[in-house]
Amino acid sequence: MEKSTLVANTGKVLLVRGSVVDISFQVHLPPIYTLLHAKEGAIVIEVLAQLDTHRVRGIALTPTQGLARGDVIKDTGGPLKAPVGKTILSRMFDVFGNTIDQQPAPTDVMWRTVHRNPPTLSQRSSKSEIFETGIKVIDVLVPLERGGKAGLFGGAGVGKTVLLTEMIHNMIGHQEGVSIFCGIGERCREGEELYRDMRDAGVLPNMVMIFGQMNEPPGSRFRVGHAALTMAEYFRDDEHRDVLLLIDNIFRFIQAGMEVSGLMGQMPSRLGYQPTMGTELSHLEERIANTNAGAITSIQAVYVPADDLTDPAAVHTFSHLSSSIVLSRKRAGEGLYPAIDPLQSSSKMATPSIIGERHYHLAREIRRTLAQYAELKDIIAMLGLEQLSPEDRNVVARARRLERFLTQPFFTTEQFTGLTGKLVTLEDALDGCEQILSDELKDYPESAFYMIGTIDEARKKATPKPEKEVENAAVTHDA
């Protein structure tokens, strides 16, 4: 009897205010998160509040054009669901599980609710393992955790999406896992370019893409992250595979929640953010976990409004992460790509017990050298390099070589830079840094270290001339 009541349960629209719709039900009041359909399923609404015994308030996941008072609303009897199964690989979806890659819908899929609980503490794995990316500056100074969460923090245009796409390229190349790319409130141009690049690179067969684009209503952008996690959980729990989940951009998820909260009439908190921001972000982040069955490793781009790392959106995101990679506009302006700020970036993995004594001490020495150089910059700007002591001049020389050695040409930017992309192992990256710090390469020009892979390339690029040859060349030039 209950089931037939639910199937036939209908209501009427009382009020439409943008994406917010109030609906009255006389027979059965739908639970929170239930999906409602109007106009033969063309308009989809999710219940977010029960106002009284007969009224619910929902947020539309599609545009509400054409919806009017008195229109009939049909209760679907269930929440939003995402497709899962082996056949979703190499495909591109929207928040409802519809394909958007202009190919037929996949067959043989199961549908699971996007509202799932995180794994319990007893199911989680307590092992700490390093996740190599092939990008020198990340592997050496900000090592990522397998099954952990890493954040890419940066303002507009400093290279978050480029770094994310490079990681996809590197991961799928040498990992047997699955990659899931979730675009939250990003440009459709980026999605189309990413799809084309991944197809050309031959990595699409192990990848799923899901997008809630910038032009879609806030309800749709708010739920697309949960749909992506449902797919990731299937590959981790049912297929026992490692999953790389890339989210671009977690700030847009918070922003969509802020819009939904404002539309629902909630009182905003600091800087206009929703009062429930911490809870909403936790619901999403806590599901990304390393269990005994497999691991979901997540790398998330986080837009930082006005480059202000004290913004509540950045502060709340920081607390969930095992690694924080901060991108610097100043370094991007100097052409030091990837524009990662080594002094602001940090990782919980950077301890001797996890990465080993040699790696730990090298990383500390690199940071110390770069920090000393940052302090000396003011003196150099005012008085010039000549006024520094010989010891300080050596520090500056080492730091400048390290800065350049930690740049790297990317596979995803080959068409723009004309430089072949490089994948560098952790061992090669550590060897290079060690040789620079021990002054083995002090006779090499700084330019030899810029945009290279291993340190051997610096040797090939510029063989240093013996001092007598340099003096003779100077005398000849003067003559």
Side-chain angles (χ1 to χ4, degrees), residues 373 385 393 396-405 407 441-452 458 461-462:
Y373 176 44
L385 195 63
R393 260 185 265 177
V396 170
R398 276 182 224 128
R400 289 179 64 84
R401 281 169 175 75
L402 280 170
E403 278 185 338
R404 278 146 188 77
F405 178 63
T407 62
L441 306 162
K442 64 178 182 181
D443 297 327
Y444 287 76
E446 288 171 6
S447 57
F449 299 88
Y450 182 65
M451 283 293 170
I452 58 168
K461 226 173 167 184

Side-chain angles (χ1 to χ4, degrees), residues 73-90:
I73 297 287
K74 187 181 168 193
D75 178 0
T76 63
L80 179 66
K81 292 182 178 176
V84 296
K86 289 180 182 176
T87 52
I88 68 169
L89 286 170
S90 81

Side-chain angles (χ1 to χ4, degrees), residues 333-369:
E334 291 169 5
L336 299 171
Y337 288 104
I340 294 168
D341 186 331
L343 300 178
Q344 280 196 297
S345 305
S346 63
S347 169
K348 291 176 184 167
M349 294 290 100
T351 60
S353 58
I354 297 171
I355 60 174
E357 291 284 344
R358 177 185 176 232
H359 184 172
Y360 175 72
H361 289 302
L362 264 175
R364 285 201 55 177
E365 189 58 36
I366 292 165
R367 280 181 198 276
R368 188 185 297 118
T369 305

